[in-house]
Amino acid sequence: MAYFDGGGDISELLRDAVPGPALGPAPAEIPMIVTGVRLPSETVERLDALAGNDRGGRSGLIRRAIDEYLERHPGGAAA
């Protein structure tokens, strides 16, 4: 973070950057909350490969996986 605070040249960091897929507007009927999850880089690479040109991208895949998991495990956490 100090690198960015120092006003350094970030062109080297951006050299290989590629734009992500167009995500489009978020559905108005489903309020979204942004959350962070730490994943191994290998997992992220596999998710990106699976997402391909899917409009929902990596986030869409993760949302669908969570929805499927929650459907299989109704009732929430055990007390």
Side-chain angles (χ1 to χ4, degrees), residues 16 20 24 29 31 33-34 40 48-49 53-54 58-59 63 70 73:
D16 297 324
E29 68 278 1
I33 298 173
V34 176
D48 288 343
N53 292 327
D54 186 301
R58 182 191 312 156
S59 292
R63 279 191 299 272
L70 292 173
H73 299 86

Side-chain angles (χ1 to χ4, degrees), residues 5-7 9 11 18 28 30 32 37 39-41 46-47 54-55 58 60 63 66 69 71 75:
D5 293 337
D9 179 14
S11 60
V18 296
I30 303 174
M32 298 283 184
V37 178
L39 299 171
S41 59
R46 292 179 64 197
L47 285 169
D54 186 301
R55 232 183 133 159
R58 182 191 312 156
R63 279 191 299 272
I66 291 171
Y69 179 89
E71 283 179 25

Side-chain angles (χ1 to χ4, degrees), residues 2 4 6 8 20 24 29 39 42 51-52 54 57 61-62 64 67-68 72 76 78-79:
F4 295 104
E29 68 278 1
L39 299 171
E42 195 173 282
D54 186 301
L61 284 177
I62 293 169
R64 286 194 301 269
D67 287 344
E68 289 176 18
R72 288 193 317 264

